[in-house]
Amino acid sequence: MLKIKLLFSLIMLCSLGYSQNKQATVMVNARAQKDKILIRWAINSPIEWQKANKKGFVITRTTILRDGNILRKPEKMVLTPKPLLPEPLDSWLDLAQKDNNAAIIAQSIYGESFEVTSAKEGELAKIVSMADELDQRYTFALYAADMSFTGAVKAGWGFVDTNVKANEVYAYQVSVFESPKVKESSYMIGLKDFSILPAPTDFIAIPDDKKVLLSWDYETFKRIYTSFMVEKSEDGINFNPIATTPLVNLNDKDEHPSKTMYYIDTLSVNDKMYHYRLYGITSFGEKGEITKPITAKGLSGVVTAARLSNYNIFNSNDVNLEWEYPKESEDFIQGYEINLAENDRGPYKTVTKIIPASDRKLNYKDNLYPSNYFTITTVGKNNQRMTSQSMLVQPVDSIPPAKPIGLEGVIDSLGVVRLKWKPNQEKDLRGYRILKANAKGEEFVDIYHKSYVGNEYQDSVSLKMTNSKVYYRIAAEDMRYNISDPSEILVLDKPDKIPPAAPIFKDYDNNDGKVHLKWIRSYSEDVVGYSLRRREKGQNKWQEIKQINDTIEEFTDDRVENKKIYQYAILARDKNNLWSSIENATITVQVLDFTPLKVITYSEAVPDRASKKVTLTWDYTKSKGKITGLSIYKSIKGTPPTLWKQLNGDILTIEDKTLKINTQYEYHLIPNLESNNPVKEEVLTVVY
């Protein structure tokens, strides 16, 4: 039995979208050529793959279209009278000696054991070798079949259909013989689907010291090609493969798909031009179009770093730097870059473009820090960089920063102040002094007591203090403790949380059944109106009887009832809709009205000598309270009246028959009210 020991430095674990799904499935792929159709398949389960190698595969072709028309009765044909099985081991010997991938396939099918030996620690083959033997056989078999279509056909995993017509389209169905648990799959294709395989794009070469980094677009072509081959030439005419096996991408993962593929070619010398070209290889062994050749040669690396040697300061923002570098090494570099940092640890920032290799001086005219650390970087032609030790440059600085601008802020309802301003541009800026005053004309005080770093600041103010405004300024300070002129004054209005002072009643009087009120207005400046309210004593709810938005300080309430006790309150409202306290802003008034009420609206006394009587009639007003009765006093004119009749309130007429001829009588009608208010009497005079 053939036994092969495999040695790999690079392998690809899978292709054709194989995966461990819940249900084992035959995965099918096909490729049309000018006169034939190539078919490839595999099973996405190692166990079912091993079983299928013993049962074989069945290919059924169904003709779907002819001359662009769908066939009413598709023509089905079995292309494999017998299930396709791997060819016997003896028939693999010649192919295995010429094709390493065919040898891998044979070993995966027939080998008694399957051992993978890694060339170096940590490479992918070592990881695969830790899996069980079946997974190793399965994984390497799929990889090798992608690299050798001839081997795939020999293993029963590929098929070439030559009995095809250009005007037809077919559906190829591949299934495992007598294995209903394995789901079959189909692929529809025709000769019309033939297309020329494209050349890879974005093929570039990046030279370095005795090596060239080659890269190309992998993401676009990974569904077309399973591997790639780079060819190299010294004369641009005769090209040879750069490796003995095609190049595959090991870094392409589902969660982090690769976009670019790389290959590093090592060179023996730097001054020789090389030509490179690239093509892709499909899982059917087809070679795609070749790219146009590109050229590259190695670039010598930087071996010596420039050294800063001296400096001269002309003013606070002007320094002349000098450095040293061997003249004989100038041809191997592009030039120099100057780097600057605020301290020796960095971070350093490149502050110049590349300076020519022949230069040894630079006048730097930009804002400097109080302490400046300069380095110089030597840039090689391969963009390799070598940086010198730092050199300290400290200019004398007595110029303060610019006056800060753009100060603005806001105070929220809790008294939190948020200030912000435009940051100063000085490189040696230490921070800002935060200045505050609580009243106009008051001296500003430094509330942070040291330099504040940043251009936003949060403060707080008391909303209980009576000042309605607060004032802020800021000043910039540099590393030499030079302080700028303070900014313009920012005036902020404090949110009004203090209610206005309460107005107070100063006097009242109670005449003719009316209550006349007088008060003293609130002394708060932000009062915009008043509310006069009233309630009967003992009630909880106040009723507004007058809104006052001007300077009125008195009011007469004529909608009161006699003998009732009322409470009055006067409240002030400010511009923030805050109301003054109702305490100490109320008075209590009892209404006492002794003016008689006119209750009787109509009265008449009619004598009737024939009937020997006088008829009295009257009527009441309906709005003066409930009438409980009527008292009638009678007298002969000139004598005191005496009570004659006491009637109920619903009687409106009465007859008097106790009379003397030629006598003048007076009748005094006095209603009785339930409220006991005084009422006006009505006097009727009649001569009988």
Side-chain angles (χ1 to χ4, degrees), residues 112-160:
E112 293 180 358
S113 64
F114 197 88
E115 180 182 356
V116 179
T117 302
S118 175
K120 296 181 181 179
E121 287 292 327
E123 293 189 0
L124 187 58
K126 180 179 179 181
I127 300 174
V128 176
S129 68
M130 297 173 64
D132 58 33
E133 183 176 321
L134 176 58
D135 286 342
Q136 291 184 29
R137 290 176 184 269
Y138 172 75
T139 301
F140 280 92
L142 296 188
Y143 164 75
D146 275 353
M147 298 295 104
S148 174
F149 182 67
T150 303
V153 173
K154 202 172 186 66
W157 307 334
F159 184 82
V160 180

Side-chain angles (χ1 to χ4, degrees), residues 56 90 153 177 200 208 217 338 373 434 460 539 566 579 595:
D90 293 342
V153 173
F177 181 65
D208 203 344
D217 180 4
I338 300 297
Y373 291 84
I434 313 297
S460 62
Q539 298 294 322
Y566 295 94
W579 291 90
T595 303

Side-chain angles (χ1 to χ4, degrees), residues 23-28 58 173-176 179-186:
Q23 181 180 5
T25 305
V26 179
M27 313 295 290
V28 182
V58 177
Q173 185 183 67
V174 181
S175 61
V176 180
S179 298
K181 290 184 178 181
V182 181
K183 184 180 179 181
E184 69 273 5
S185 295
S186 301

Side-chain angles (χ1 to χ4, degrees), residues 389-403:
Q389 295 293 323
S390 63
M391 182 173 69
L392 174 62
V393 176
Q394 287 184 308
V396 177
D397 182 12
S398 60
I399 302 174
K403 173 182 175 180

Side-chain angles (χ1 to χ4, degrees), residues 156 273 282 328 457 503 514 611 631:
M273 186 68 72
T282 70
E328 59 272 16
Y457 182 77
K514 300 177 183 179
S611 300
S631 298

